[in-house]
Amino acid sequence: NICLKNDKNMANEAYRLVISKNGIEIIASNNAGWFYGVQSLFQLIPATDKTTGIMGSIQVPGVTISDEPRFAWRAFMLDEGRYYKGMAQVKLLLDEMARLKMNVFHWHLVDNEGWRIEIKKYPLLTEIGSKRKSSQIGPLKWESPMQSGEPHEGFYTQKEIKEIIKYAEERHITIVPEIEMPGHSTAAIAAYPWLGTEKKRKDVPTRFGVSDDVYDVSDPRCLQFFTDVLDEIVDLFPSKVIHIGGDEVKYNDWKKSASIQAYMKDNNLATPADLQIFFTNYISHYLQSKGRRMMGWNEILGHNLHEYQSEIDTKTNQQLAKGSIIHFWKGDADLAVQAAGRGYEIVNSHHTKTYLDYSYDDLTLSRAYAFDPIPEGLAPKYHEKVIGMGCQMWGEWIPTVGNMHFMVFPRIAAFAEVGWTMKENKDLGRFKINLKKLEKFWEQKGIYYAPESFVEKNENK
Ligand code: TNX
């Protein structure tokens, strides 16, 4: 018999699993803790026989496990802006996250190449913005001249979104939606050309890579658009945190726009980075007024990260709104150290260590496992500013479900430990042994993970 017990003094998500001759006890202070206790119990049960599915009577070892997470934010991100994967795959990923005790599903729903969430007030976002004629494909990736020659489309209705949110809630996973602004905006501009600075009709792109398109944040209709969209987002998603992207904005179109230039003058903004932060603060305050918190990629602090940006354009004396969460993905650890020192909370998703679109020789399994979300050089008194980590499945080069599974599994298991396990308890050898059992579960669910032989070959390259 299994008995759930309450101990108010235990930390959020912590549990104690006690298996003895007298039965099984799971002690926790809340549902999340009991849930994770059950996940651990499942891990102690031998995988079912694949051919019959019958377990018969099973034996579990007598143990006591006291466990709690190192970080409160343990995220997996799926980019469906590039390729829509659909509800069944999202649910499968949520199941696997729960098994691995990950608790944030960061859902990248909007990008240049697709708008994937129904917004009732702006139906063309999905009618036009969720469809493209063809997609760049091929082994050359960003430089590839090759096209699929086949259309791609897909989006989630609000009804489907609600179903997925409920599914995630049952697994103690918060869904953090990401609605990109002011860059990564071509699909939206294709739907409503007045959203862009050029006010020109354009197609949803068939190639990937950073776009020149940027929203016209000097246009009151455009600001109205954002607050309308965010109203619907906030109504749908219970998450306290809403992600607004903010990465990879090319400033050329802002520099060319007379309306933007006049707006900058009126508001005393000297550089494009000043404008981006000014705009981001407007959004942040709007979200705050609705009881939510804004999160964005680290460019929202004005970081100069890209070869297409100049030192002058990214100079800023604007202060990013307090309470914004910095999603650190690029740049020196020093930038993260500064952000924490200025009081911002950070989620560490540094691209060299957490990007699941990177090949297995660039980001080997052991490298993924070794990732420490606390940036080097961060004084201990600021460690608590790092609320956690994320790993990101960017979508450009995973047109199929199989492509995606191969990149996600097994590295997601390494990242789950990065988020959960205390540094001193990590052990790559032990992790790899346990992986074999996880792979049995994955096989049963039809997950096409990268096999050990392939993963190991890349370790040793
Ligand atoms: C950079 S990470 C991006 C994404 C791409 C990714 C590909 C980030 C905030 N922006 O738009 O998909 O690189 O690795």
Side-chain angles (χ1 to χ4, degrees):
N1 64 328
I2 300 180
C3 172
L4 302 182
K5 286 193 176 162
N6 192 339
D7 177 350
K8 294 195 297 304
N9 297 320
M10 287 178 70
N12 181 31
E13 299 187 310
Y15 68 91
R16 208 154 56 238
L17 173 62
V18 184
I19 305 178
S20 70
K21 283 200 286 286
N22 307 325
I24 298 174
E25 274 183 8
I26 302 173
I27 305 123
S29 66
N30 60 20
N31 287 334
W34 287 310
F35 182 76
Y36 290 137
V38 171
Q39 296 308 313
S40 290
L41 178 60
F42 283 156
Q43 275 160 27
L44 294 170
I45 297 173
T48 48
D49 182 323
K50 218 183 146 193
T51 47
T52 64
I54 296 169
M55 285 199 299
S57 79
I58 50 163
Q59 290 211 330
V60 287
V63 282
T64 298
I65 297 173
S66 289
D67 201 9
E68 65 178 61
R70 180 176 177 204
F71 293 105
W73 184 287
R74 306 178 301 279
F76 166 78
M77 188 207 83
L78 180 65
D79 164 18
E80 288 194 276
R82 274 55 180 262
Y83 279 101
Y84 171 79
K85 290 292 188 299
M87 171 130 65
Q89 284 303 312
V90 170
K91 286 185 174 173
L92 175 147
L93 289 163
L94 291 168
D95 285 345
E96 295 315 307
M97 286 177 66
R99 195 196 300 287
L100 296 166
K101 306 190 178 78
M102 297 177 97
N103 64 355
V104 175
F105 181 67
H106 168 191
W107 207 359
H108 188 85
L109 283 163
V110 168
D111 218 301
N112 296 317
E113 296 83 4
W115 185 287
R116 310 272 176 229
I117 175 169
E118 175 190 27
I119 300 294
K120 305 242 190 226
K121 198 158 178 196
Y122 298 92
L124 299 184
L125 285 173
T126 44
E127 244 164 73
I128 293 175
S130 75
K131 304 175 183 172
R132 60 175 184 261
K133 290 199 291 272
S134 175
S135 309
Q136 184 183 20
I137 52 165
L140 291 175
K141 298 197 170 173
W142 311 98
E143 280 76 45
S144 179
M146 206 190 297
Q147 284 285 320
S148 68
E150 288 166 3
H152 179 78
E153 64 174 279
F155 70 90
Y156 295 94
T157 63
Q158 294 200 354
K159 189 163 169 268
E160 289 170 325
I161 297 270
K162 284 183 192 147
E163 181 178 334
I164 292 170
I165 291 169
K166 181 162 173 283
Y167 194 86
E169 266 170 0
E170 287 162 3
R171 286 156 185 74
H172 297 277
I173 295 170
T174 302
I175 302 193
V176 174
E178 180 181 351
I179 306 296
E180 281 264 21
M181 56 189 87
H184 289 266
S185 49
T186 314
I189 295 172
Y192 297 100
W194 48 265
L195 285 172
T197 52
E198 297 181 297
K199 313 287 175 200
K200 268 207 310 239
R201 241 221 95 246
K202 41 187 88 195
D203 291 329
V204 177
T206 57
R207 287 180 66 94
F208 301 111
V210 184
S211 153
D212 291 329
D213 295 316
V214 55
Y215 286 114
D216 180 0
V217 300
S218 68
D219 185 337
R221 280 179 303 173
C222 196
L223 296 179
Q224 181 72 41
F225 168 82
F226 292 127
T227 51
D228 287 341
V229 168
L230 289 174
D231 283 347
E232 293 193 30
I233 294 292
V234 162
D235 281 348
L236 279 169
F237 292 92
S239 170
K240 174 98 184 157
V241 177
I242 306 290
H243 203 304
I244 59 94
D247 57 308
E248 297 182 322
V249 184
K250 282 196 177 168
Y251 291 141
N252 275 349
D253 283 9
W254 272 356
K255 288 195 208 168
K256 283 191 286 192
S257 156
S259 160
I260 290 280
Q261 292 308 313
Y263 183 82
M264 284 172 65
K265 223 169 164 187
D266 288 349
N267 291 289
N268 254 322
L269 304 166
T271 69
D274 283 339
L275 175 59
Q276 185 175 347
I277 297 172
F278 183 80
F279 162 73
T280 305
N281 284 345
Y282 174 85
I283 298 296
S284 170
H285 291 139
Y286 189 73
L287 285 171
Q288 270 172 36
S289 76
K290 304 212 130 204
R292 307 301 174 99
R293 262 182 99 181
M294 192 202 71
M295 174 166 182
W297 302 104
N298 59 306
E299 284 99 325
I300 62 173
L301 280 169
H303 291 166
N304 178 18
L305 304 177
H306 305 290
E307 78 289 346
Y308 50 79
Q309 277 170 338
S310 71
E311 202 65 55
I312 307 168
D313 286 347
T314 51
K315 258 217 168 67
T316 180
N317 49 33
Q318 293 288 304
Q319 291 290 325
L320 181 70
K322 279 207 182 70
S324 309
I325 299 175
I326 306 302
H327 203 173
F328 184 63
W329 76 281
K330 198 172 160 106
D332 287 349
D334 198 39
L335 292 174
V337 171
Q338 282 170 28
R342 284 172 61 192
Y344 295 105
E345 288 190 327
I346 292 176
V347 171
N348 196 341
S349 288
H350 201 272
H351 69 112
T352 56
K353 303 198 175 136
T354 68
Y355 273 25
L356 292 161
D357 56 322
Y358 290 8
S359 66
Y360 277 87
D361 53 344
D362 282 339
L363 180 60
T364 62
L365 184 65
S366 64
R367 229 183 128 173
Y369 189 80
F371 173 52
D372 185 356
I374 303 286
E376 227 168 284
L378 185 65
K381 65 174 174 180
Y382 295 120
H383 284 193
E384 61 174 36
K385 290 289 175 196
V386 181
I387 58 174
M389 49 71 63
C391 55
Q392 291 68 225
M393 183 68 261
W394 294 106
E396 294 94 333
W397 313 110
I398 51 161
T400 71
V401 165
N403 292 146
M404 172 175 80
H405 287 181
F406 189 81
M407 300 310 270
V408 171
F409 301 95
R411 288 184 294 192
I412 189 174
F415 288 119
E417 268 211 38
V418 167
W420 184 280
T421 308
M422 300 301 157
K423 217 173 155 181
E424 57 278 15
N425 293 336
K426 280 167 74 182
D427 174 345
L428 184 64
R430 188 255 307 138
F431 167 74
K432 284 186 179 171
I433 291 168
N434 292 343
L435 195 54
K436 292 201 186 4
K437 185 152 173 197
L438 270 175
E439 289 176 345
K440 291 229 170 68
F441 287 119
W442 294 340
E443 270 159 36
Q444 285 167 10
K445 286 197 61 180
I447 290 173
Y448 301 97
Y449 62 86
E452 188 189 336
S453 56
F454 177 84
V455 170
E456 287 301 321
K457 197 170 76 208
N458 281 285
E459 288 293 348
N460 302 322
K461 256 189 195 161

